[in-house]
Amino acid sequence: MEIKIDDLSGSEIAEFLEEHIREMKSVSPPESKHALDLAGLRKPQITFWTIWDSSCLIGCGAMKELDASHAEIKSMRTTTSYRGKGVASMLLQHILNEAKLRGYRRISLETGSMPFFEPARNLYAKYGFKNCAPFSKYKEAPNSVFMTKDL
C-alpha cells in the first residue's frame, strides 16, 4: 500500500469523494453533514492524501490547519471492500506523523454520534483521541462527536 499527497484532479478521487458524500448524506441529517466536497478540500490550508493498493484507490484522508498549533482531520474514508484491513490505521498514523512534523501541538476531529460511525470513534480512541468540546467553528450538536489528541 502506498500513501501519497493527492491534488484532487483525478476522476477516481472525484468518484470516491462523491460516494463518500452520498454515504454521509444517507446516515447523517443535512444539518450534521460536515464532509467536504472537492472544492472544499482544495483549500491551501488542507493537505489531502490518498492510499492505493497497486492501482486501486482504497482510502483517503486530509488534514486542515486551524492555526499554527492546531490541525483537524477531515475526510477519512476507506473503501468498503478494504474496511477492517488496517487501511484507516495506516492513514491515520501517517497524518499524525505529519502533524507532528509540522509542529502542531493538537489535532482534533468531528465525527458522527450514530452507530454507523462507531468503528471510526473506536479507531480514534485507540490512537489516543479523547472526547472534547466543539472546536473551531463547530457547535454542540446531537449527531456530532468531537475528539482531540495532544501531540
Side-chain angles (χ1 to χ4, degrees):
M1 286 187 261
E2 178 186 11
I3 297 172
K4 56 187 175 183
I5 291 178
D6 197 299
D7 67 4
L8 296 156
S9 64
S11 61
E12 292 160 313
I13 193 58
E15 291 169 19
F16 194 83
L17 288 171
E18 281 180 31
E19 184 180 321
H20 176 60
I21 301 267
R22 277 194 306 275
E23 187 173 50
M24 293 303 96
K25 284 181 178 179
S26 75
V27 297
S28 301
E31 69 275 10
S32 296
K33 187 195 91 44
H34 301 291
L36 296 175
D37 60 11
L38 279 172
L41 289 166
R42 287 185 178 130
K43 304 286 183 191
Q45 67 270 32
I46 296 178
T47 304
F48 187 84
W49 292 273
T50 48
I51 186 165
W52 300 79
D53 185 0
S54 194
S55 63
C56 182
L57 174 61
I58 60 172
C60 66
M63 182 170 59
K64 176 182 180 182
E65 181 175 291
L66 300 175
D67 62 44
S69 64
H70 190 194
E72 178 183 6
I73 294 174
K74 301 290 294 177
S75 300
M76 284 281 294
R77 181 171 201 284
T78 302
T79 191
T80 306
S81 62
Y82 276 79
R83 289 182 185 161
K85 296 182 180 179
V87 173
S89 291
M90 180 184 235
L91 190 54
L92 180 58
Q93 188 60 61
H94 181 83
I95 292 171
L96 292 173
N97 290 343
E98 185 65 27
K100 289 175 188 174
L101 286 172
R102 294 182 187 191
Y104 297 125
R105 292 193 307 265
R106 184 164 71 114
I107 192 162
S108 303
L109 61 93
E110 180 277 338
T111 191
S113 63
M114 294 75 85
F116 175 85
F117 297 97
E118 186 174 0
R121 293 190 306 269
N122 290 340
L123 172 71
Y124 297 130
K126 177 181 163 185
Y127 278 83
F129 283 83
K130 306 285 186 210
N131 287 3
C132 67
F135 58 91
S136 186
K137 296 178 183 177
Y138 291 106
K139 306 280 187 243
E140 194 68 48
N143 296 311
S144 289
V145 172
F146 303 97
M147 302 178 85
T148 195
K149 175 182 174 66
D150 290 329
L151 300 170

